[in-house]
Structure formats: structure tokens, C-alpha cells
């Protein structure tokens, strides 16, 4: 049976026409590409009453009308979009987090005793009567060093802040056995010691400085906090408690708040500022750019609108006369909270009673301004905010020297940013921009070449004629650039075509679609930070990384990581190692960056951690020295047992870091669960690791196992508990001979069929006090 069919009416994005059609008596069905589109249409059509049309998910080339029966419309015709089939993901599998951090042949590494070399892979070698696996490191002149993998803790990957730049020169290799490395390492140790002592002295000076404490929470404080539109994350609650405890104490606060973009740092700052104002003190909020000053002024103004708090902003957008009025008001205490750039640190700005300074991204201020801040820090409460993540190890190291709070929990309503790697395609660009504009949003288009940025903007105007397009880059006059940024923030511009200047600081919750042109030319950290500009509200956000069909291997890997690791907080785990380097540089200061570069970032952190621990316990902590274990049978992880080199190195590295027999047993159980029953060489590897750890607690210098005999030698300063010694070894079918000369040594002979390693471990455990 044939039906008379005709084309549907043209709607051309006019929702008034669509609303009228759905109520003209003819059954109307609208086919949507996906559930998200259906939800959006339902929301748009339901604004002026109940929905008359039926929404369904389905795909047709175009709509049609069967007169007096049904009208079928498609969402891509309603919104005038060419139908495009979504490409499958460019990368079917992402780079695993384990492989991302693993050593690969050709990587630069640092050996604690020998310096910077090139990692050349894993080899089996015969060492001290046993077959083991070793990491091969090549040094200057082609000399090679074999490092047993049970001592992999002696090796760190070489990373420095230069790694962020793709054009960074390779580090200089050291000569095996040369003195240059030892001198460099000791110089770095001394620099770390100096910095650490300075921080401890500042901390000690602040401990003896007192100021009147801020009052406990009142009704207004509770009212402000309960009026927060979102539920506090656990990290926000902890940060709030930390800051309040500092403010209610008697010594001035100096707390660093570290959190990813949009994780609620500003809200903590507003609560702290309000608490200070209620104690009758003034608050200065210091930001690096005028645009950020305007943004903070809006945030503070909105949140404190219901309370009698005078908030002012001082920026270059004001005339000298307007600024003079604000300066006068500050002196007379007619302003409670002042928000501005480094202008607030000028000599003519005086406060009647300054109680709290909130600093956003302190590392972006100059040396002069930092010195002025340092003077203020001795007597004034300071809360510093930063969005650059710092490594957990650095956080732990500095926790004893500076008050730090990490915020790593994503807000409840934040969704991951959907990330696609696509070729430059006008149809895709038109579809994605139109979808964003249809929901009243805005778009970032990042093009990092100033020479062609205007041509790209003109092209976008042709692709999406209805969009208002503006260009922003670092070579524009400052006032002109700020005007463009301001227009974008206030919604007067639909598409901002810019260079990497939007990488940090610009908060536009209404912009939730981003394009990054030639994403293959950018580093992982830059791409991650750019992606953080979208997804700042409850709306679904999209990031399109535009690349040619052929890109180099490293770029492929970076893009695969970003496309797959979109989950919230992935930045702290994956990334983005470069970001950590930047964060560390910001926190440690420029004077330390040269030392970080000379020994590598990871070794620098290790030396820092050792120094902090020594200073914290006054140097009284006894150093941990593992026993030297030699077996006459193979002790390694065979390739046929663990095929992946990354997984194997991960197990070795974790094993060498353990200092507790129970932790070694737990790792052994995990390896058994992941890879199956342990073959004899793998079992021997865990056994020797156990002997090293137990031996360290007993003061054992060396353990030699050969056939049915073993020799245990104690260090000269060790005083082992010999009571019940014979009984301990007899219980595991060993005969023990004690050589009481210095150093003390035990000769063990296996009597029965007991396993040599297992019996030795059980017997030595019995000697541990």
C-alpha cells in the first residue's frame, strides 16, 4: 500500500514555528540522534506548556509528512545541521596509567651514585652465584652499568621543568666513575638544606608571633555557608575546617590551598574573608590579572550580597581618580574586602586594619611583590590559592614546613569532558558550534599561531555566519585584549579564537565546547590545562582535538591518553607529570629550579624528603640499611611469567620500596592473583626481599645461601638477641654454629628436607625483638 508523502515544513532553528506545528492537530514525532538531544528538545519545547509532540531516538536521512496521519521531523533538520555519522574513536584503547609512568629504553635516568645516563632495557646476568635481572644504563663514552633490579630504588627517571618544552635540549650524560656527579649531588643537598632551614626558621618565627584570634562562627557565618548552592565535597569541608582552625588560633595563618580548576577554592576564600570581616578586619584579595579581579569581584559580590559587607575592586579599568577614592575609603575602613592586582601592594595603599590577604596564583607575581608579601606574612593571615597540582610526595615533604591543604575531590555536579580526536572538518565544526549556540553557550577555539589566527577567525565566520567571533592573543595591546576577554566573559562574544593565553585563569562557565587546532603540537600538560577551561558548570562539555591524519608516535600517545582518561581528577593521576613539574617549580621558587634540573625532579624530591625527615627528628633517626643477600639459585621474574616489561618494572620498584615483611607478603599475594602461581625464581626473589628487610631490623650485614648451608654476618655495631637462638633454628631443622668474634656470624646447616629460604626467614623472624 502506497502513502502520499511530502517534505516537512522548514523550521530552520525557529522554535516558535516548531511549537506552533506540534499543536496543529497532526501527530508529530521528532527523531533525535541520542538521548541527550531528546532531553534538550524536551526542555526547549516544554518551556511554554506540556509537550504535544512525541520524542524518539532514531536515525533517518530526513523527515516527511503523511497527510492526515503523521509528521516525522529529525532534530538535524530542525537545527539545520547536515547529518554526520559520528566517527568511531580514533584510538580504540588508551595508554594505560601504568605504562604512562613506566621506563622505556631510551629514557634518561639518574642513578643515585653515578648520575644521568640512558636506560637501555633489562638483561639477565650471572651475579654473585645467581641469575638475576638487571637494568642496563649507558653513560658518557658508551660505558654501561648493570643495576640489579632488586636495587631499582637507586634509579629515578630524569625529569626536569625543561621537559615541558618540546625543543628542550637533552640533559648531559655523566661519566661513569667521574667526580662531577658527586659534586653536583652534594651541591643540591646543601641548597635543599639551606631552603629547608629557611622555611623552618620562618615557621618558627611565625609560631612566636601572635595576633588577636578571629571569633568563632556566628549565625551569619552559618547562614553564608548553608546558602552555598552546591553540597560541599569532603575536601572542601576539610579545607574549611583547616582555615577556620588557623583563623581562630593565635598565630598568623599561612596556608596554601591546592586544587584543580573549579574544585571550590574560591568558596573557601569567601568563607575565610567573611570570617575576618566579622572580626572587624579588612581583607585584600590579590590576583595576577585584571580579568581575574573582575571575576572574583562578581563571585564575592554575589555570595555576600545578603550581608552588610562593602566589596570593592581596584583595577586598570578604573581611572586614577576612581582609584584614589577607593584608597581613601580603605584608610577610613569604609571598605571591608578589596580585590585587585599587584596595585594593592603599592606604597600608597594603606589599610585601617588589614586582617587577611588572599593570594591567587602567587607564582605569577614579581620578586618585588613577593618580598612585600613576605613582610606582611609575619603578622597578617595569608591564604594562598593555586590550581597547579603539586606531587603528593612534595606535599608530604613540605607538610612539616608549610601548612598545605590538597583539594582533589570533584564537585558532585561536574561531568567529565567528552574528548574527541578528529581531523579539521568544517561539517564537524559547524555541527559542534551550532549545538553549543543552540543551548545558549559559548565556544573556545584555540589556534596557537598568531600569523594565521585572523584567517582562522574569518573562516569560522563563514562556517557559522550567525556566531559573533573575536580574536585574542598575547601580541595585542593589553587594554584591547582585556576588552575582548571581558566581552567573552560577559557573553557578548560567541566564539573566542585565541592562542594559549586562555590556558589558565579564565573562568567562563557558559563556554562548554572547545576546539584545539593542531593539538599534536602541544604537550600533555598544555592540552590538559586547556581542557580544564570547559566543563565548569552542570552542562555536558566537549573538547575536540583537531589533528592531521598522520602524527608522530609521541603525539599519538599524548592524544590517546587525553581521549580515554577523561574521568574527573585524572589530571592528578595521569598528568600530568609536566603540570607537577610546574607546580613544584612554583612552590619551591625559581632559585631551586636550577638544582631540580641538574639532578632531575624525582631525585630532587627524594633528597628533599630525606632532608626534611633528618631536620624534623633532629638527625636522631637511625638510617635503614637492608641486608646484602646472595643466593646460589636464580632470583628474578621470568619473561614467561610476566611478559610486560612495564608491569615487571612496576613490581620490582614496589618491592624495593617495602620495609615491612607483611607488606612483602601482600605484594606476593597480589602478584600471584594477577599472574598465577609463582615459579621458583620469582619465589626466590620475594624470599630474598624478605631476608633483606628482616636483616635490616636485626643489623645483619650479609646473608649467603649456598647448597645446604647459609652464613649470616652481622654488622660490627649490631647486638643481636642470642637468647633462644639455637631453639629458633632447631625448630626449622637447622643446626647453628655461632662465631662470637667481631663481627658476629652464624653458620647454618640444613638438617632435614625443609626449604632453605623459608626456614631461614622463619628463624630470623624469631630473632626480631
Amino acid at each position: 500500500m502506497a502513502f502520499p508523502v511530502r517534505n516537512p515544513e522548514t523550521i530552520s532553528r525557529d522554535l516558535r514555528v516548531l511549537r506552533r506545528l506540534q499543536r496543529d492537530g497532526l501527530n508529530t514525532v521528532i527523531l533525535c540522534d541520542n538521548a541527550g538531544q531528546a532531553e534538550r528538545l524536551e526542555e526547549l519545547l516544554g518551556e511554554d506548556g506540556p509537550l504535544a509532540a512525541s520524542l524518539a531516538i532514531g536515525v533517518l536521512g530526513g523527515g516527511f509528512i503523511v497527510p492526515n496521519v503523521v509528521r516525522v521531523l529529525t532534530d538535524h533538520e530542525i537545527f539545520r545541521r547536515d547529518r554526520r555519522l559520528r566517527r568511531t574513536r580514533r584510538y580504540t584503547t588508551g595508554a594505560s596509567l601504568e605504562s604512562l609512568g613506566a621506563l622505556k629504553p631510551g629514557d634518561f635516568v639518574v642513578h643515585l651514585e653515578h648520575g644521568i645516563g640512558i636506560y637501555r632495557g633489562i638483561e639477565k646476568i650471572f651475579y654473585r652465584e645467581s641469575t638475576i635481572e638487571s637494568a642496563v644504563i649507558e653513560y658518557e663514552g658508551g660505558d654501561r652499568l648493570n643495576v640489579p633490579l632488586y636495587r631499582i630504588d637507586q634509579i629515578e627517571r630524569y625529569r626536569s621543568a625543561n621537559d615541558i618544552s618540546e625543543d628542550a635540549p637533552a640533559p648531559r650524560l655523566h661519566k661513569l666513575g667521574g667526580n662531577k656527579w658527586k659534586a653536583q649531588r652534594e651541591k643540591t643537598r646543601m641548597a635543599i638544606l639551606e631552603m629547608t632551614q629557611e622555611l623552618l626558621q620562618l615557621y618558627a618565627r611565625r609560631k612566636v608571633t601572635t595576633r588577636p584570634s578571629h571569633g568563632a562562627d556566628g549565625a551569619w557565618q552559618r547562614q553564608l555557608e548553608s546558602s552555598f548552592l552546591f553540597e560541599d565535597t569532603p575536601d572542601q569541608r576539610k579545607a574549611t575546617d583547616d582555615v577556620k582552625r588557623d583563623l581562630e588560633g593565635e598565630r598568623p595563618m599561612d596556608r596554601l590551598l591546592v586544587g584543580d580548576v573549579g574544585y571550590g577554592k574560591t568558596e573557601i576564600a569567601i568563607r575565610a574573608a567573611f570570617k575576618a570581616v566579622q572580626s572587624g578586619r579588612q581583607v585584600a584579595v590579590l590576583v595576577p590579572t585584571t580579568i581575574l579581579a573582575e571575576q572574583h569581584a562578581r563571585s564575592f559580590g554575589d555570595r555576600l550580597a545578603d550581608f552588610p559587607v562593602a566589596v570593592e575592586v581596584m583595577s586598570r579599568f578604573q581611572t586614577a581618580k576612581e582609584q584614589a577614592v577607593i584608597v581613601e575609603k580603605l584608610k577610613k575602613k569604609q571598605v571591608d574586602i578589596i580585590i585587585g592586582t599587584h596595585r594593592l601592594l603599592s606604597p600608597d595603599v594603606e589599610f585601617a586594619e588589614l586582617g587577611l590577604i588572599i593570594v591567587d596564583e602567587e607564582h605569577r607575581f614579581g620578586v618585588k611583590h613577593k618580598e612585600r608579601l613576605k613582610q606582611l606574612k609575619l603578622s597578617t593571615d595569608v591564604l594562598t590559592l593555586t590550581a597547579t597540582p603539586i606531587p603528593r610526595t612534595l606535599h608530604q615533604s613540605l607538610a612539616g614546613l608549610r601548612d598545605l591543604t590538597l583539594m582533589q575531590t570533584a564537585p558532585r555536579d561536574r561531568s567529565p569532558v567528552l574528548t574527541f580526536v578528529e581531523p579539521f572538518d568544517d561539517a564537524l565544526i559547524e555541527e559542534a558550534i551550532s549545538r553549543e549556540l543552540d543551548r545558549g553557550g559559548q565556544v573556545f577555539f584555540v589556534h596557537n599561531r598568531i600569523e594565521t589566527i585572523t584567517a582562522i577567525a574569518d573562516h569560522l565566520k563563514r562556517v557559522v555566519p550567525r556566531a559573533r567571533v573575536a580574536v585574542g592573543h598575547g601580541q595585542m595591546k593589553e587594554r584591547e585584549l582585556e576588552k575582548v576577554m571581558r566581552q567573552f566573559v560577559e557573553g557578548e562574544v560567541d566564539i573566542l579564537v585565541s592562542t594559549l593565553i586562555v590556558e589558565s585563569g579564565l573562568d567562563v562557565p557558559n563556554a562548554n565546547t572547545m576546539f584545539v587546532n593542531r593539538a599534536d603540537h602541544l604537550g600533555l600538560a598544555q592540552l590538559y590545562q586547556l581542557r580544564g577551561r570547559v566543563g565548569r558548570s552542570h552542562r555536558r562539555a566537549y573538547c575536540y582535538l583537531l589533528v592531521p591524519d598522520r602524527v608522530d608516535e609521541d603525539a599519538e600517545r599524548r592524544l590517546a591518553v587525553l581521549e580515554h582518561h577523561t574521568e574527573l581528577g585524572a589530571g592528578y593521576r595521569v598528568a600530568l607529570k609536566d603540570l607537577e613539574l610546574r607546580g613544584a617549580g612554583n612552590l619551591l621558587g625559581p632559585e631551586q629550579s636550577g638544582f631540580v634540573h641538574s639532578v632531575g625532579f624525582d631525585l630532587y624530591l627524594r633528597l628533599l624528603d630525606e632532608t626534611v625527615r633528618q631536620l624534623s627528628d633532629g638527625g636522631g633517626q637511625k638510617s635503614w640499611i637492608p641486608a646484602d643477600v646472595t643466593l646460589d639459585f636464580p632470583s628474578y621474574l621470568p619473561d614467561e611469567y610476566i611478559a610486560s616489561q612495564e608491569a615487571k618494572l612496576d613490581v620490582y620498584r614496589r618491592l624495593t620500596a617495602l620495609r615491612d615483611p607483611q607488606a612483602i607478603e601482600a605484594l606476593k599475594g597480589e602478584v600471584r592473583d594477577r599472574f598465577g602461581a609463582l615459579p621458583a625464581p620469582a619465589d626466590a626473589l620475594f624470599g630474598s626481599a624478605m631476608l633483606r628487610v628482616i636483616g635490616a631490623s636485626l643489623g645483619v650485614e650479609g646473608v649467603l645461601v649456598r647448597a645446604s648451608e647459609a652464613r649470616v654476618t652481622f654488622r660490627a655495631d649490631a647486638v643481636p638477641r642470642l637468647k633462644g637462638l639455637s631453639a629458633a633454628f632447631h625448630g626449622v631443622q637447622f643446626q647453628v654454629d655461632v662465631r662470637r668474634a667481631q663481627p658476629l656470624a652464624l653458620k647454618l646447616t640444613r638438617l632435614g628436607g625443609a626449604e632453605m629460604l623459608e626456614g631461614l626467614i622463619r628463624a630470623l623472624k624469631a630473632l626480631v625483638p
Side-chain angles (χ1 to χ4, degrees), residues 65 67 83 210 223 287 384 416 428 509 511 532 561 589 648 653 675-676 728:
I65 290 177
R83 178 90 184 73
T210 58
Q223 190 182 327
V287 296
T384 307
L428 165 77
V561 166
K648 188 185 281 194
R653 192 170 283 284
F675 304 104

Side-chain angles (χ1 to χ4, degrees), residues 377-394:
K377 275 184 181 181
L378 281 174
S379 55
T380 314
D381 291 299
V382 180
L383 177 63
T384 307
L385 317 176
T386 181
T388 333
I390 60 167
R392 189 172 287 279
T393 41
L394 180 60

Side-chain angles (χ1 to χ4, degrees), residues 292-539:
L292 270 177
E294 300 284 319
Q295 280 183 189
H296 275 316
R298 272 198 298 277
S299 303
F300 275 73
D302 291 348
R303 289 290 285 121
L304 300 172
D306 297 336
F307 303 95
V309 178
V311 180
E312 290 280 3
V313 63
M314 191 187 284
S315 73
R316 283 197 309 279
F317 288 147
Q318 294 153 322
T319 62
K321 194 175 177 183
E322 288 169 333
Q323 288 186 21
V325 171
I326 294 172
V327 169
E328 200 54 41
K329 280 184 173 179
L330 277 171
K331 285 180 191 169
K332 294 178 180 173
K333 210 177 177 181
Q334 292 169 353
V335 173
D336 297 310
I337 299 173
I338 181 75
I339 300 165
T341 57
H342 53 265
R343 170 77 178 86
L344 294 182
L345 295 173
S346 305
D348 66 318
V349 178
E350 292 175 31
F351 294 84
E353 193 179 351
L354 180 61
L356 171 65
I357 303 171
I358 296 167
V359 188
D360 199 355
E361 302 291 358
E362 185 183 342
H363 64 276
R364 290 171 66 183
F365 290 96
V367 177
K368 251 190 345 189
H369 304 127
K370 284 185 179 175
E371 281 306 311
R372 173 99 169 103
L373 268 175
K374 209 178 267 185
Q375 292 163 9
L376 292 168
K377 275 184 181 181
L378 281 174
S379 55
T380 314
D381 291 299
V382 180
L383 177 63
T384 307
L385 317 176
T386 181
T388 333
I390 60 167
R392 189 172 287 279
T393 41
L394 180 60
H395 170 249
Q396 286 165 347
S397 297
L398 293 179
L401 309 175
R402 188 170 183 184
D403 298 325
L404 284 101
T405 302
L406 274 180
M407 294 175 68
Q408 291 179 258
T409 318
R412 198 174 191 173
D413 62 330
R414 286 282 289 278
S415 304
V417 179
L418 287 183
T419 306
F420 303 98
V421 178
E422 300 274 6
F424 194 105
D425 177 354
D426 286 352
L428 165 77
I429 292 168
E430 197 273 338
E431 179 188 332
I433 292 175
S434 296
R435 182 180 58 218
E436 188 60 63
L437 299 187
D438 287 343
R439 62 179 184 178
Q442 293 163 278
V443 177
F444 286 105
F445 196 102
V446 178
H447 177 81
N448 204 34
R449 284 188 71 81
I450 292 174
E451 297 89 344
T452 51
I453 197 166
T454 308
I456 286 284
D458 292 340
H459 183 75
L460 291 177
K461 285 175 190 170
R462 288 193 294 275
V463 173
V464 193
R466 65 182 173 129
R468 296 165 296 173
V469 182
V471 172
H473 58 76
Q475 287 181 15
M476 290 167 68
K477 287 179 181 163
E478 212 164 307
R479 197 167 281 276
E480 190 187 341
L481 176 61
E482 281 178 354
K483 184 185 172 191
V484 168
M485 294 295 201
R486 198 177 199 180
Q487 286 175 331
F488 188 63
V489 168
E490 290 172 2
E492 294 167 20
V493 166
D494 296 318
I495 306 172
L496 177 65
V497 184
S498 75
T499 53
L500 290 178
I501 53 167
V502 296
E503 189 182 349
S504 59
L506 197 63
D507 182 7
V508 188
N510 196 40
N512 283 298
T513 293
M514 170 176 277
F515 290 89
V516 182
N517 195 21
R518 289 311 302 259
D520 54 310
H521 285 173
L522 301 178
L524 199 52
Q526 291 169 318
L527 290 171
Y528 174 73
Q529 209 153 17
L530 279 170
R531 188 171 70 179
R533 294 297 105 212
V534 294
R536 308 293 304 276
S537 67
H538 59 282
R539 287 179 174 179

Side-chain angles (χ1 to χ4, degrees), residues 17 105 233 279 499 656 695 711-712 731 734 762:
V17 173
T233 65
S279 301
T499 53
T656 54
R711 179 177 290 276
V712 179
F734 275 87
R762 281 171 58 196

Side-chain angles (χ1 to χ4, degrees), residues 653-721:
R653 192 170 283 284
R654 287 168 63 192
L655 187 60
T656 54
L658 299 177
R659 297 186 176 188
D660 173 32
Q662 285 178 320
I664 292 173
E665 282 296 343
L667 180 58
K668 187 177 177 181
E670 182 195 318
V671 169
R672 194 186 297 114
D673 289 344
R674 285 174 67 187
F675 304 104
L678 274 72
D683 202 40
L685 177 73
F686 280 96
S688 59
M690 191 73 83
L691 284 175
R692 278 187 202 95
V693 168
I694 298 167
S697 59
L698 290 172
V700 171
E701 184 172 49
V703 177
L704 170 65
V705 177
R706 186 182 289 137
S708 58
E709 283 190 355
R711 179 177 290 276
V712 179
T713 311
F714 290 86
R715 288 194 296 274
D717 59 345
V719 187
R721 196 171 54 110

